[in-house]
Every structure is written in structure tokens, then in C-alpha cells.
């Protein structure tokens, strides 16, 4: 059996969000129990960008495609794992991408999931330049997955134009998957396919997703 790696954070009460008013805190509580009504049922309140999730163009682009409109053929398939764990600085440039093999789907490994639930997680995570994003688009990248909260700098959260790379990707139809975990279980010398499936919610700008990687060799 081919090895399957779960890249998804567990959704749970009081899990971290980036702390802005436009991100819903996760709430999971009981509505019914086996003892009271003969079955367990729950109320689950999520933001569209809770935990491991996918961004649709509508997240930043007026009139952009929503999560239910994304092509599922692009959400599943071979992925190129790019290992940046030994990079000295946190800014990913065009030059960095020129040194690696790209594919239609890429996964950036920083092992930043190790910072999950720490004060560092949202502050000084690695991010890429707009020029780097433009290069990826020129090279035909259609999906970018990462174990960080964003392709943009965390230092700019809440500023007027805090997400230029997000906007660049989503305007050009590039699917963004964020908040991966367990990326330290991936090896750049192995071949994988990614399966990243959000709930099919009509009109949503994003959605939590169950994301796995499966070895191909």
C-alpha cells in the first residue's frame, strides 16, 4: 500500500486564528447526546479560512470564482515538493524558484507547522515576493500549497494592501492551500500526489479542507 500522509490540522475549539475581526473562532459543541436524544449531534461553527484550508479567487477578487466553482481536477494530482527548510532567510525570491523544478502543483516545505500554537506562528513566517509569484505564474503553476499561514508577509496583516501575492495568484486562477502540517514527513526526492478537498459550499471565498499526500514511488 502506498504511504498516505495527512497534511491537515485538526479542527478544535480555541484553535489559533490570525486574530483579526474577520476570522471566526472555531466553536464545536454538542446539540444532542445518545443519553438525551438517542444520538450524538454537534454544532460546528467555522470560518472559511479556519485551519488547513483553500482560498478561492473570491477571497480577494470581486466577482472571482467561489470554492464550489473550482475544478476538482486541479485539486488532485501530482505535486512537486520544494524543500526550503535550509534557507537562511525567510524571503522567497524569484531566484529561489529558478533553482528548483516546478510543476503545475507545488508544495512549499518550511516545516513551519512546528510553530503551530506558538507566538511565532503568525509573526515571522517565510513569505515570497511579488516577483517570485509572477515567476510561478509564468511557469504555469496552478496550485500552491504551503505549511505557513500565507504567501504574504505576516508583518503586513491588517495594513491597507497586506496581501499582494494572494491577489496576484487568485487573479490568475492559482489555487492557494495554507496551514499544512506534517510536511516534515515529505521528501523532495520522492514523488507525491496531493488530494485537497474542501467542502462544496456555494458562494464561499474559501473553506477548510482535508489535505493528504500519497507517495507515487
Amino acid at each position: 500500500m502506498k504511504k498516505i500522509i495527512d497534511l491537515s490540522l485538526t479542527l478544535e475549539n480555541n484553535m489559533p486564528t490570525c486574530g483579526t475581526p474577520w476570522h471566526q473562532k472555531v466553536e464545536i459543541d454538542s446539540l444532542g447526546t445518545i443519553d438525551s436524544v438517542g444520538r450524538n449531534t454537534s454544532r460546528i461553527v467555522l470560518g472559511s479560512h479556519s485551519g488547513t484550508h483553500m482560498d478561492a479567487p473570491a477571497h480577494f477578487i470581486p466577482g472571482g470564482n467561489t470554492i464550489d466553482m473550482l475544478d476538482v481536477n486541479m485539486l488532485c494530482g501530482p505535486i512537486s515538493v520544494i524543500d526550503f527548510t535550509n534557507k537562511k532567510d525567510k524571503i522567497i525570491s524569484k531566484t529561489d524558484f529558478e533553482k528548483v523544478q516546478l510543476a503545475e502543483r507545488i508544495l512549499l516545505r518550511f516545516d513551519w507547522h512546528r510553530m503551530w500554537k506558538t507566538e511565532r506562528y503568525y509573526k515571522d513566517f517565510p513569505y515570497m515576493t511579488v516577483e517570485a509569484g509572477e515567476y510561478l505564474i509564468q511557469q504555469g503553476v496552478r496550485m500552491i500549497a504551503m505549511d505557513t499561514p500565507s504567501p504574504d508577509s505576516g508583518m503586513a496583516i491588517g495594513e491597507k494592501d497586506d496581501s499582494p501575492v494572494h491577489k496576484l495568484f487568485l487573479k490568475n486562477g492559482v489555487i492557494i492551500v495554507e496551514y499544512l502540517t506534517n510536511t516534515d514527513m515529505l521528501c523532495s526526492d520522492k514523488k507525491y500526489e496531493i488530494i485537497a478537498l474542501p467542502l462544496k459550499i456555494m458562494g464561499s471565498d474559501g473553506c477548510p479542507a482535508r489535505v493528504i499526500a500519497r507517495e507515487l514511488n
Side-chain angles (χ1 to χ4, degrees):
M1 181 181 293
K2 295 186 184 298
K3 185 177 181 180
I4 294 176
I5 301 167
D6 189 352
L7 302 177
S8 315
L9 290 168
T10 300
L11 292 167
E12 56 184 323
N13 277 312
N14 301 314
M15 67 188 295
T17 69
C18 72
T20 58
W22 53 85
H23 283 285
Q24 170 69 41
K25 290 187 177 297
V26 175
E27 300 175 16
I28 305 171
D29 51 54
S30 175
L31 289 177
T33 66
I34 293 175
D35 289 340
S36 63
V37 296
R39 70 214 73 201
N40 288 317
T41 61
S42 302
R43 181 183 74 102
I44 303 172
V45 180
L46 299 171
S48 53
H49 302 268
S50 297
T52 305
H53 68 273
M54 183 177 296
D55 291 351
H59 184 32
F60 278 108
I61 308 304
N65 284 349
T66 52
I67 205 77
D68 53 303
M69 299 168 68
L70 298 184
D71 181 2
V72 293
N73 290 292
M74 186 48 56
L75 309 185
C76 308
I79 195 161
S80 176
V81 177
I82 301 173
D83 189 342
F84 283 133
T85 55
N86 292 321
K87 184 169 168 56
K88 301 300 182 184
D89 63 271
K90 64 181 181 180
I91 303 175
I92 311 303
S93 68
K94 174 185 175 182
T95 302
D96 292 313
F97 285 121
E98 289 175 334
K99 299 175 183 177
V100 298
Q101 183 174 355
L102 298 173
E104 200 172 30
R105 304 172 191 84
I106 62 172
L107 186 154
L108 307 186
R109 176 188 164 190
F110 302 100
D111 292 354
W112 194 253
H113 61 90
R114 294 174 178 172
M115 299 295 129
W116 180 239
K117 295 186 177 180
T118 71
E119 291 184 0
R120 287 190 63 194
Y121 188 78
Y122 285 106
K123 291 182 178 178
D124 56 354
F125 55 85
Y127 64 94
M128 69 180 68
T129 65
V130 170
E131 183 184 33
E134 291 171 341
Y135 177 76
L136 294 180
I137 292 167
Q138 292 166 3
Q139 298 305 305
V141 172
R142 297 281 309 284
M143 172 195 273
I144 179 165
M146 62 202 77
D147 58 15
T148 59
S150 173
D152 289 288
S153 171
M155 301 304 292
I157 291 176
E159 294 183 5
K160 183 176 181 181
D161 188 13
D162 60 1
S163 303
V165 181
H166 263 95
K167 293 172 183 177
L168 175 68
F169 284 151
L170 297 177
K171 180 177 67 175
N172 286 278
V174 178
I175 297 165
I176 305 173
V177 183
E178 302 163 323
Y179 289 67
L180 297 180
T181 190
N182 295 331
T183 51
D184 52 351
M185 298 177 66
L186 301 172
C187 302
S188 54
D189 60 345
K190 290 182 178 291
K191 295 184 182 299
Y192 299 93
E193 67 174 349
I194 192 171
I195 300 172
L197 297 177
L199 296 174
K200 192 176 181 182
I201 302 176
M202 183 176 290
S204 183
D205 52 87
C207 187
R210 190 65 182 263
V211 183
I212 65 172
R214 185 171 68 168
E215 283 189 14
L216 294 177
N217 60 337

